[in-house]
Amino acid sequence: MQVHLDRVRCQGHGRCYVLAPAVFESDDDGYGIVVSTLAVNSEILPDLHDAARKGAANCPEDAITLTEG
Ligand code: SF4
């Protein structure tokens, strides 16, 4: 699974990094980013798939896209 966070859509509500801190974190301005250790190729380990889905499902801006496969 790959995770992409659209920085244009993100409004900094913070729900992703509150609900799924293993996958998402806050930048210095409170906007969501993918955890830096995952950011090289955005590939999420299987153990984190549920957390990634939880963050994506709770983003009110639909800023998080998951690509299964
Ligand atoms: S929940 Fe969505 S809008 Fe809020 S910080 Fe995360 S990506 Fe941005």
Side-chain angles (χ1 to χ4, degrees), residues 5-6 9-17 24-25 30-33 55 58-64:
L5 196 157
D6 187 332
R9 279 181 176 256
C10 176
Q11 297 297 311
H13 300 293
R15 297 183 66 171
C16 59
Y17 53 78
F24 305 99
E25 61 187 357
Y31 291 90
I33 53 176
N58 284 280
C59 174
E61 306 296 336
D62 286 333
I64 299 168

Side-chain angles (χ1 to χ4, degrees), residues 4-63:
H4 174 74
L5 196 157
D6 187 332
R7 301 274 292 159
V8 175
R9 279 181 176 256
C10 176
Q11 297 297 311
H13 300 293
R15 297 183 66 171
C16 59
Y17 53 78
V18 169
L19 293 170
V23 180
F24 305 99
E25 61 187 357
S26 170
D27 71 5
D28 290 343
D29 297 315
Y31 291 90
I33 53 176
V34 176
V35 169
S36 57
T37 53
L38 304 174
V40 174
N41 58 7
S42 300
E43 197 70 41
I44 301 298
L45 294 171
D47 285 357
L48 298 177
H49 286 187
D50 284 349
R53 291 188 187 104
K54 187 174 186 180
N58 284 280
C59 174
E61 306 296 336
D62 286 333

